[in-house]
Amino acid sequence: MTTTGAAVDYAAAVQVLDTARSVTVLCHIQPDADTLGSGLALAQVLDRRGVPVRVSFAEPTELPYALRTLPGSRFLIPPAEVPPEVDVLVTVDCGSAGRLGALADRLAGAGTTLVIDHHRSNTRYGAVNLIDPDAVSTASVLTALLDRWQEPIDADIAHCLFAGLATDSGSFRWVTPGTHALAERLLATGIDGGAITRTLMDTHPFAWLQMLSTVLASARLEPEAHGGTGLVAAFVRATDLDGVRQEEAESVVDIVRATAEAGIAAVFKEARPVDERRRWTVSLRSKDSGPGTDDGADVAAIATRLGGGGHRYAAGYTTYGEPEEILGRLRTALA
């Protein structure tokens, strides 16, 4: 049993993969467990079938520490080594070509492009687009694809898929029908779900606490934003990350979003190294008013207006400039 909608057509995707002679799998920049777990799971299946396969992402230059325990890392190559041409290029969890960063130019050299995703805002930039916006994760979509392809899921593949499922569902706080059944199926392969989630979501260096104290102390609350929905915003400056990995900044939004007085949370994370343009990746989150409601702000629409995308309740984009300048642009988009 999977978490994906029955109306999604998998036949074209199965055909592409079934006849592939070589495959490059690309994950989005600043990879999380859903994009990388899906990419490495697919790579293991292709390798088992004897198909040459490689996996990559444009940035950062090193694999985030929390993701290093995912099976299949042997298929990862640096972006500079991704060949300009390949029979099939697959992107996983990438809502637009821009999310590929510097590797977006590899799309032009592919014989066929296959997009596997679950973002409602996906721009459908592939020749074949396997997108299920009702799925809780791209790992869920890939599981359904493997079922249609009649490819078995062993423990290593299940580890990668469970990582994507657990993280994109917020440790199963945001689920759709079938999510828990899929988790149970993956756990039945013998993987340790508790250890996987602890590594991915609940393990941080001591310096993370000091970074949090600085960032949270400077958070701003604007109750009148977005017609009274309310906005809470925080900035993670590059200097706040001294002694802390860039990836540690990704956890901040889940703390900021707990603010009761704001229905929208935004965390601006400054990229390192800092240049004169000052690049920031922005995480947006919103929430509804309670069980059975669907009245939360559509942050995917807001992010799309600012050049990004995502889901109704979780989205993001990239921006440039000084803190007051970029916050002002968000305020305008929320008006």
Side-chain angles (χ1 to χ4, degrees):
M1 184 175 183
T2 66
T3 61
T4 57
V8 179
D9 181 11
Y10 292 84
V14 169
Q15 176 67 20
V16 167
L17 294 174
D18 207 37
T19 58
R21 298 186 303 275
S22 63
V23 178
T24 295
V25 182
L26 296 183
C27 305
H28 63 65
I29 58 174
Q30 304 298 330
D32 58 15
D34 196 24
T35 187
L36 191 65
S38 297
L40 294 180
L42 179 58
Q44 291 176 77
V45 172
L46 289 165
D47 180 68
R48 187 172 65 195
R49 293 174 58 89
V51 179
V53 59
R54 58 191 67 80
V55 182
S56 193
F57 53 88
E59 57 181 89
T61 56
E62 294 185 354
L63 181 64
Y65 185 82
L67 301 179
R68 294 179 185 179
T69 58
L70 292 180
S73 59
R74 65 187 183 279
F75 298 109
L76 284 168
I77 63 172
E81 295 180 15
V82 176
E85 297 182 353
V86 69
D87 181 35
V88 175
L89 187 146
V90 182
T91 72
V92 283
D93 201 45
C94 297
S96 67
R99 290 287 283 155
L100 296 171
L103 287 174
D105 63 0
R106 301 307 199 276
L107 292 168
T112 303
T113 54
L114 169 61
V115 173
I116 304 175
D117 191 24
H118 71 128
H119 292 97
R120 193 173 301 276
S121 62
N122 192 288
T123 60
R124 297 181 177 270
Y125 54 95
V128 176
N129 297 287
L130 180 61
I131 301 161
D132 185 354
D134 294 324
V136 73
S137 66
T138 295
S140 307
V141 181
L142 181 60
T143 302
L145 174 60
L146 296 180
D147 288 346
R148 271 56 166 203
W149 201 11
Q150 299 183 8
E151 285 291 338
I153 295 173
D154 61 24
D156 281 351
I157 295 170
H159 182 143
C160 291
L161 296 172
F162 185 86
L165 179 65
T167 53
D168 256 38
S169 66
S171 287
F172 303 98
R173 286 177 289 175
W174 314 298
V175 299
T176 57
T179 302
H180 289 98
L182 176 54
E184 183 176 0
R185 174 186 171 188
L186 297 174
L187 290 169
T189 65
I191 61 175
D192 188 338
I196 292 170
T197 53
R198 279 194 301 275
T199 299
L200 293 171
M201 306 179 74
D202 294 326
T203 303
H204 302 281
F206 178 75
W208 176 75
L209 297 175
Q210 298 171 310
M211 180 270 289
L212 277 181
S213 68
T214 300
V215 172
L216 297 181
S218 63
R220 310 180 189 188
L221 177 64
E222 301 185 8
E224 73 288 351
H226 200 54
T229 300
L231 168 69
V232 58
F235 288 84
V236 183
R237 293 169 171 80
T239 53
D240 298 329
L241 293 172
D242 289 344
V244 181
R245 297 182 296 267
Q246 181 82 33
E247 66 197 80
E248 303 296 344
E250 300 304 317
S251 62
V252 175
V253 71
D254 288 323
I255 299 172
V256 172
R257 72 180 301 173
T259 303
E261 297 88 345
I264 300 173
V267 175
F268 299 82
K269 298 156 291 183
E270 188 173 20
R272 295 186 297 185
V274 180
D275 59 25
E276 61 182 16
R277 296 186 67 193
R278 297 194 73 176
R279 179 165 66 93
W280 306 75
T281 57
V282 187
S283 295
L284 298 178
R285 300 290 187 271
S286 69
K287 51 192 175 185
D288 57 32
S289 58
T293 65
D294 190 26
D295 55 358
D298 186 350
V299 292
I302 296 164
T304 299
R305 289 199 290 271
L306 293 165
H311 307 287
R312 175 167 187 161
Y313 298 117
Y317 63 98
T318 299
T319 190
Y320 297 83
E322 298 300 316
E324 288 300 327
E325 178 186 5
I326 60 178
L327 181 58
R329 287 199 289 267
L330 176 58
R331 287 194 191 103
T332 299
L334 290 173

